[in-house]
Structures are given as structure tokens and as C-alpha cells.
């Protein structure tokens, strides 16, 4: 049996450990179409969107259908350029395209709405099995006003979506959300527990609030080898001028009750909540010094390295982090990004975003492309993704993750699933990259002492307001 031709346009690819169920998917389309396609081409990301799991599923699909599947993978920046180029020239080269949520407002006119295909597909585990908040953020848009937010709902309901003037434009295949990896071995160490209780008059437990998190970060910032230099920090942050910086600030902003824009898309992140969020973020770096001095250049990559080599007791990232084998006795656990109490209610606001599989409007095999997307995001296939540690998007897949043999993997999926249900997505705007970079600059200006928090955010809000007007908002 011929295997798919899979072209990897990357210099390297990390190996992802396989855990959990090792069976192949038994999925079959309940309404198979008579296909005229002999090959389907998929334009996809690399490890950031779980390419190994998707490639394996594509191989299975070819074996089941006889249709060749060609998966071309590119790292993020190259993929974005490739997607925009292919669509702008109305190319039919690729049938399915992986779309990160910030791209959707720019490219939606080049995509095929998939609402009619879903309506024609009889399935016992349909779109109502997707995590609703994730599905709405990733896939549901008004083509004429992509900035418009869809209705909130606990369970995806296609009739309500269409009645409100929206369509479905992709099927969610991989999700990311800001969570915390931590050194479980340090938290469970009896000497640490006694010392922490003596100093802070409470147990050393998983923190629920940012204040509790900060106390723990202070406690674990220490000189372990007694050479007069700090060699372990309490936490990591992603404070470099990078999208990761925006993700951090955006999460703190929502935790403190703020938001980036109001209903009219006027920037409001320079509110009192925004200033408080930035000053709190900065205090961990500048005042309490619970992060490495190098944190002003950290993105998610550097955070993973620092945590992995035992340089931090806790670390925030959009995926689970692991320890290097040289970190003797190290054990990793996971918990949700803490929050802040507002009127007796704990408010959390972790950043989240997802990849969706969208149909190229210019594809000559749209029906077949939908069948492939439906397969790659189906319940059975997503359960199989667990052995690749894919960030799945269906409720049933998270339920299945409870039976994964490895404790740390079960724990991560539990934290990931809960976090996705409360996550805060990116703004639905065409000039997202410009807005993100402007806020990144403001954060850096404050952290490097060039401006105070209020001035940095006010100046950024003024610039963002101008950029929004220039983009027609």
C-alpha cells in the first residue's frame, strides 16, 4: 500500500514521546463521497501544531481511502508567508490549509465556508464534541465583519451560529494555552514545606492567585550551592520583545480585569487594570527579582531551556515543559495560570489560541478536502493523537486522556482542558501583528526604565488607536 508523500520543509524536528493508547484510528466517514481526487495536498505547520500526529493520521487516511495525501510542513513564519502567498494568487495547489487564528481576518475571503459541509455530514460525534470556547474562537466568523465576536455558548450549536449571521470556516486541530509547569519534587520536599510554612504561615500548595504564586517564586529564588550567586529562580517570564511578551502581558491584563479593546475596537489596555497588570509583571523582574536577569530576552524557547535545566522552580509556557535528565530527581507537574480575586470571584485569563484546518476556496477538490479535515479532527483520530501528546480540541479526547498511563501526561491534559475552557483569545483584527508589536514595545520600554507604566501604555494606546483607524476600524 502506498504511503503519503510527506515533504518536510524544516531543518530539524523534535521527537515527541508517545504515550497512551497505541491503536490506529477506526474512524470511517459515515457519508463517504465518490471521490474524483487522487491526491489531496495539505499545507501545515511543524511541531508547533503537532505535525507528527497529523502526518501519522494522514498516512492512515490514505490507507483507508486510497487517496494520496501530501503534507507539506513549514515553520511558523515561513508557513504564514506561504499561506498568504498561495491564497493571494488564488492558487489551487493546496486543498487544506492550517490557519492560526490571527491570520483569519486577513484571509477569510480566500477560504471556503464549511457550514454546508457540516450540515450534510451525519456524525454521532459532531461539532458539539469540540470545546465550545475553543471552537468559537478558532472557527466561527462573520465574513463581512470578521472582528465581530460570536455568541457565547457552552455547547457548539450550528443552528445558533448561523442564525446569528456566522459561518464555520475551519475545524480546530490543535490548541495552545498559557499554563504553568512546576518542579513537583521541590514542592513535595518536606524541608521546603516546613521552611515555607515558617516563612509565609501557610502550606506550600499549588497557588490559586498571583500573590500566592509570587510568594512561592520568592521562596524558591535562592543560592543553592552557597557561592554567593543566585542559581535558581522562582519563575520564568517571557519578557523579550516578541509575541511571547504580548501573550504574557495580555494574560496579566485579563487577570486584573482589563482588556485590549472595547466593543468599538478602541484600545483600552491603558486602563487602571492595564497599569496594575504591567506594574505587577515588572515587579517580579525589577523589584522582587524572582526571574533570571536574562528574562528581558526570553521568549517561549528560552523559557523552556531555563526551566528544563533546573534554573527555575516554575515556568509559564503554551505547552508542557520537561526537565533535562541531568536535573537529578526532578519531577514536573502542571497547574493553571493563577488569577486575582475580584469581588470574591477568582478571575483567570490565560492566553489561548488554536490552529484550524480550512479549505482553500480555489481547491478543485473541496468536498474531498472537507472529508479529510473531518477525519483529521474527528473524535477517534483525536484520541489516537494522545500518544503523540497533541494538544487536542475535543471534549471526548480530554476524557480519554484521563486513562493515559503516565501520571504527568494525565495531569497536563487535565490542566490544558480546564484552561482552554476559560482562555482569552486574540483580537479579531487584520492588523494584529502591528498591535502586538506596539504593545511589546511598551512593555519593554517600562521594563528597561525608559518610561513608567502609565506613560508606556498611554503612548502605545495612542499609536494603536491610529493604526486601527488606518486599517478601517
Amino acid at each position: 500500500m502506498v504511503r503519503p508523500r510527506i515533504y518536510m520543509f524544516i531543518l530539524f524536528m523534535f521527537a515527541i514521546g508517545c504515550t497512551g493508547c497505541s491503536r490506529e484510528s477506526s474512524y470511517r466517514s459515515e457519508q463517504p463521497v465518490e471521490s474524483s481526487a487522487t491526491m489531496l495536498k495539505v499545507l501545515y505547520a511543524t511541531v508547533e501544531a503537532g505535525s507528527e500526529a497529523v502526518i501519522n493520521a494522514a498516512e492512515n487516511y490514505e490507507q483507508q481511502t486510497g487517496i494520496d495525501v501530501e503534507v507539506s510542513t513549514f515553520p511558523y513564519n515561513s508557513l504564514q508567508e506561504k499561506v498568504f502567498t498561495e491564497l493571494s494568487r488564488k492558487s489551487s495547489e493546496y486543498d487544506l490549509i492550517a490557519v492560526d487564528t490571527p491570520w483569519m481576518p486577513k484571509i477569510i475571503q480566500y477560504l471556503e465556508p464549511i457550514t454546508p459541509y457540516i450540515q450534510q455530514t451525519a456524525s454521532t460525534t459532531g461539532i458539539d464534541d469540540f470545546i465550545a470556547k475553543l471552537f468559537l474562537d478558532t472557527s466561527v466568523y462573520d465574513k463581512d465583519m470578521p472582528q465581530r465576536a460570536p455568541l457565547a455558548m457552552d455547547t457548539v450549536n450550528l443552528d445558533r451560529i448561523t442564525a446569528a449571521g456566522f459561518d464555520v470556516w475551519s475545524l480546530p486541530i490543535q490548541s495552545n494555552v498559557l499554563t504553568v509547569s512546576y518542579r513537583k519534587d521541590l514542592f513535595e520536599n518536606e524541608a521546603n514545606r516546613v521552611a515555607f510554612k515558617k516563612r509565609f504561615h501557610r502550606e506550600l500548595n499549588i497557588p490559586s492567585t498571583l500573590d500566592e504564586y509570587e510568594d512561592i517564586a520568592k521562596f524558591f529564588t535562592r543560592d543553592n550551592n552557597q557561592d554567593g550567586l543566585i542559581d535558581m529562580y522562582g519563575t520564568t517570564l517571557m519578557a523579550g520583545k516578541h509575541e511571547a511578551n504580548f501573550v504574557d502581558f495580555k494574560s496579566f491584563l485579563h487577570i486584573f480585569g482589563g482588556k485590549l479593546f472595547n466593543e468599538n475596537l478602541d484600545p483600552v489596555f491603558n486602563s487602571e487594570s492595564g497599569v496594575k497588570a504591567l506594574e505587577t509583571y515588572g515587579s517580579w523582574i525589577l523589584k522582587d527579582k524572582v526571574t533570571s536577569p536574562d528574562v528581558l530576552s526570553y521568549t517561549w524557547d528560552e523559557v523552556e531551556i531555563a526551566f528544563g535545566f533546573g534554573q527555575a522552580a516554575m515556568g509559564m509556557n503554551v505547552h508542557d515543559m520537561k526537565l533535562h535528565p541531568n536535573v537529578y530527581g526532578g519531577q514536573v507537574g502542571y497547574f493553571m495560570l493563577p488569577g486575582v480575586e475580584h469581588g470574591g470571584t477568582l478571575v483567570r485569563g490565560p492566553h489561548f489560541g488554536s490552529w484550524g484546518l480550512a479549505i482553500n476556496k480555489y481547491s478543485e477538490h473541496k468536498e474531498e478536502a472537507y472529508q479529510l479535515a473531518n477525519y483529521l479532527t474527528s473524535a477517534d483520530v483525536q484520541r489516537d493523537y494522545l500518544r503523540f501528546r497533541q494538544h487536542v480540541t475535543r471534549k471526548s479526547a480530554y476524557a480519554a486522556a484521563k486513562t493515559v498511563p503516565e501520571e504527568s501526561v494525565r495531569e497536563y491534559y487535565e490542566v490544558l482542558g480546564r484552561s482552554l475552557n476559560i482562555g482569552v483569545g486574540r483580537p479579531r483584527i487584520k492588523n494584529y501583528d502591528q498591535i502586538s508589536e506596539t504593545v511589546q514595545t511598551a512593555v519593554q520600554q517600562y521594563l528597561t526604565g525608559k518610561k513608567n507604566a502609565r506613560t508606556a501604555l498611554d503612548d502605545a494606546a495612542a499609536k494603536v488607536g491610529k493604526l486601527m483607524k488606518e486599517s478601517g476600524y
Side-chain angles (χ1 to χ4, degrees):
M1 188 170 291
V2 182
R3 294 171 64 84
R5 291 177 285 277
I6 299 167
Y7 296 83
M8 304 297 291
F9 291 91
I10 53 175
L11 298 177
F12 65 89
M13 181 172 179
F14 293 116
I16 300 176
C18 296
T19 59
C21 180
S22 61
R23 65 177 174 82
E24 288 190 356
S25 167
S26 60
Y27 172 92
R28 293 291 191 280
S29 172
E30 295 186 24
Q31 287 189 327
V33 296
E34 191 171 320
S35 175
S36 62
T38 58
M39 174 183 286
L40 294 172
K41 292 188 176 183
V42 183
L43 187 55
Y44 204 73
T46 51
V47 291
E48 64 266 35
S51 53
E52 185 180 11
V54 173
I55 287 169
N56 179 77
E59 293 175 350
N60 293 338
Y61 187 77
E62 182 180 72
Q63 292 171 3
Q64 294 178 21
T65 65
I67 298 174
D68 290 347
V69 180
E70 180 178 293
V71 181
S72 299
T73 64
F74 291 79
Y76 189 90
N77 289 337
S78 298
L79 177 65
Q80 183 176 12
E81 181 179 354
K82 180 72 170 174
V83 168
F84 286 19
T85 299
E86 289 292 320
L87 294 179
S88 65
R89 68 186 185 91
K90 301 181 179 180
S91 168
S92 62
E93 178 74 12
Y94 295 96
D95 304 291
L96 274 184
I97 295 173
V99 177
D100 194 15
T101 48
W103 308 348
M104 187 62 82
K106 277 188 174 182
I107 65 173
I108 193 168
Q109 68 269 28
Y110 302 113
L111 302 178
E112 176 82 356
I114 64 175
T115 307
Y117 300 92
I118 297 173
Q119 291 169 330
Q120 295 168 13
T121 302
S123 175
T124 56
T125 52
I127 61 171
D128 58 338
D129 184 43
F130 286 104
I131 295 174
K133 192 175 184 67
L134 183 156
F135 187 90
L136 294 168
D137 185 74
T138 308
S139 304
V140 178
Y141 285 84
D142 177 344
K143 180 182 178 181
D144 298 324
M145 295 182 64
Q147 69 272 23
R148 189 162 72 99
L151 299 172
M153 54 186 77
D154 295 328
T155 301
V156 179
N157 184 303
L158 190 59
D159 290 337
R160 289 185 63 197
I161 288 170
T162 55
F166 294 90
D167 270 308
V168 178
W169 294 87
S170 70
L171 293 177
I173 192 165
Q174 201 268 358
S175 57
N176 294 313
V177 64
L178 195 64
T179 60
V180 183
S181 302
Y182 77 104
R183 289 285 301 278
K184 184 178 283 191
D185 58 305
L186 297 180
F187 274 57
E188 294 179 350
N189 178 275
E190 187 59 29
N192 284 337
R193 296 185 68 82
V194 170
F196 183 87
K197 188 171 185 178
K198 182 177 180 180
R199 180 174 171 184
F200 294 99
H201 309 292
R202 60 183 175 85
E203 299 295 335
L204 177 56
N205 292 326
I206 299 300
S208 295
T209 68
L210 288 184
D211 286 342
E212 293 172 351
Y213 188 100
E214 184 179 8
D215 286 345
I216 296 172
K218 290 177 182 177
F219 177 75
F220 282 115
T221 299
R222 57 179 64 169
D223 174 12
N224 280 320
N225 60 10
Q226 305 299 310
D227 66 352
L229 299 174
I230 300 296
D231 48 31
M232 174 180 281
Y233 291 90
T235 189
T236 61
L237 291 173
M238 302 183 288
K241 189 177 179 298
H242 186 271
E243 170 72 0
N245 161 319
F246 181 71
V247 163
D248 265 3
F249 172 73
K250 172 176 163 296
S251 298
F252 273 60
L253 174 66
H254 287 282
I255 287 171
F256 280 97
K259 50 188 177 180
L260 292 166
F261 296 96
N262 63 18
E263 292 75 13
N264 298 319
L265 288 181
D266 300 316
V268 293
F269 56 81
N270 58 329
S271 63
E272 292 302 320
S273 296
V275 173
K276 179 66 173 176
L278 183 54
E279 288 179 341
T280 300
Y281 187 79
S283 70
W284 291 10
I285 300 169
L286 305 172
K287 176 176 168 286
D288 298 321
K289 301 185 187 300
V290 296
T291 65
S292 166
D294 298 329
V295 76
L296 294 184
S297 63
Y298 277 14
T299 70
W300 21 66
D301 294 331
E302 290 76 18
V303 161
E304 184 168 22
I305 293 170
F307 181 83
F309 280 90
Q311 297 171 13
M314 302 180 291
M316 302 177 189
N317 214 323
V318 292
H319 58 78
D320 57 324
M321 297 193 290
K322 304 171 185 65
L323 290 172
H324 191 275
N326 289 345
V327 181
Y328 180 75
Q331 184 182 3
V332 182
Y334 308 97
F335 59 84
M336 296 174 67
L337 185 69
V340 168
E341 288 193 359
H342 298 274
T345 300
L346 182 65
V347 175
R348 304 179 194 253
H351 161 84
F352 88 122
S354 298
W355 291 86
L357 279 180
I359 301 173
N360 180 2
K361 178 179 178 180
Y362 308 103
S363 166
E364 296 175 0
H365 306 289
K366 297 185 185 69
E367 179 67 42
E368 294 91 339
Y370 171 74
Q371 291 292 333
L372 176 57
N374 194 36
Y375 173 86
L376 293 175
T377 60
S378 66
D380 284 348
V381 171
Q382 287 212 12
R383 285 192 290 271
D384 190 54
Y385 286 164
L386 296 176
R387 64 192 178 98
F388 297 95
R389 298 180 74 155
Q390 171 85 337
H391 292 188
V392 288
T393 58
R394 285 182 175 270
K395 292 179 282 188
S396 58
Y398 283 96
K402 295 178 182 179
T403 64
V404 170
E406 190 177 340
E407 180 183 359
S408 66
V409 177
R410 290 199 307 272
E411 185 175 318
Y412 181 68
Y413 274 118
E414 191 273 334
V415 170
L416 178 63
R418 289 172 58 203
S419 299
L420 287 171
N421 277 291
I422 62 166
V424 179
R426 294 177 171 97
R428 299 171 157 230
I429 51 179
K430 293 180 290 186
N431 57 344
Y432 172 82
D433 290 340
Q434 287 182 308
I435 304 311
S436 174
E437 186 173 356
T438 301
V439 175
Q440 294 167 32
T441 300
V443 172
Q444 279 266 301
Q445 288 173 333
Y446 170 64
L447 295 178
T448 55
K450 295 177 181 177
K451 295 180 181 179
N452 62 41
R454 166 62 68 190
T455 301
L457 293 179
D458 280 347
D459 291 350
K463 183 175 181 180
V464 166
K466 183 178 179 181
L467 289 170
M468 295 296 285
K469 289 181 181 178
E470 291 173 353
S471 294
Y473 294 109

